[in-house]
Amino acid sequence: MHKDVNPAAPPLRRIGAVGIIRDYDGRVLLVDPAYKDGWILPGGGAHANEFPHVAVTREVQEEVGLELYPARLLVVDYVPENEADDVREGLTFVFDMGSVGADTPKLINSHELTGVQWVLRDDLPEVTVPAQERRIREALRVVEGTGTVHYLVNGERVCVNGSRRPIT
């Protein structure tokens, strides 16, 4: 055991679970949260002792009314603490939730969200923040078979030794 970690009081971290949902034209479903800037993938925080794949299923149903189940894990994104935005350090699991017709989703959770839209990959920079755009692009690479499951830090790929590789 490391001397700097107290096993009786480990650090608190958030566990997020979000899903890539595509329509049959390849667009990605994004939601507009009332509590932060930029459009994001549907999903949210896991409850205590809730598996991430269960959390994404619950959150997608709560937010957009779709009963979808994750087909596979696409990326794991470490999100460092951001005191300016009051965000605690955590891990976000991004799952492939499959494809549905473009007319399928509806905004269900109007207390947290202000909208739902389908977005083309090329339009991501105009609707979401850079870290979210990078996370979505990396996940889409895995969905499309041009990439493999990656560990990310704030949306950017990292090597096992911790150095960052450029995103192409």
Side-chain angles (χ1 to χ4, degrees):
M1 181 65 60
H2 295 280
K3 293 178 183 178
D4 62 337
V5 176
N6 178 354
L12 296 175
R13 292 188 172 104
R14 337 171 257 103
I15 300 293
V18 298
I20 293 276
I21 303 168
R22 293 164 291 127
D23 70 3
Y24 299 127
D25 294 322
R27 297 177 298 178
V28 176
L29 182 67
L30 297 181
V31 296
D32 186 21
Y35 53 88
K36 69 188 325 187
D37 290 336
W39 292 73
I40 62 174
L41 294 168
H47 295 161
N49 296 311
E50 182 180 36
F51 295 114
H53 67 279
V54 173
V56 72
T57 299
R58 174 184 51 77
E59 286 283 346
V60 165
Q61 183 154 16
E62 288 175 4
E63 291 181 354
V64 296
L66 295 174
E67 190 172 336
L68 300 173
Y69 301 94
R72 60 186 166 153
L73 178 66
L74 302 173
V75 297
V76 177
D77 193 2
Y78 171 81
V79 181
E81 181 178 27
N82 182 340
E83 291 181 16
D85 293 334
D86 198 29
V87 172
R88 180 181 291 163
E89 160 192 52
L91 295 170
T92 299
F93 293 80
V94 183
F95 293 96
D96 182 356
M97 303 299 282
S99 298
V100 298
D103 59 343
T104 305
K106 297 175 250 173
L107 178 64
I108 301 295
N109 191 338
S110 60
H111 300 294
E112 290 182 23
L113 305 175
T114 61
V116 174
Q117 72 170 318
W118 293 104
V119 178
L120 291 167
R121 178 193 319 253
D122 291 344
D123 296 333
L124 288 170
E126 293 155 29
V127 297
T128 194
V129 298
Q132 186 73 213
E133 177 192 358
R134 291 189 303 266
R135 176 187 289 167
I136 294 167
R137 287 183 185 279
E138 287 296 327
L140 287 172
R141 284 187 178 103
V142 179
V143 168
E144 295 162 353
T146 59
T148 58
V149 175
H150 286 288
Y151 168 64
L152 308 175
V153 172
N154 216 17
E156 293 186 67
R157 276 190 259 171
V158 293
C159 296
V160 176
N161 68 5
S163 66
R164 293 178 187 235
R165 294 193 321 203
I167 296 181
T168 56

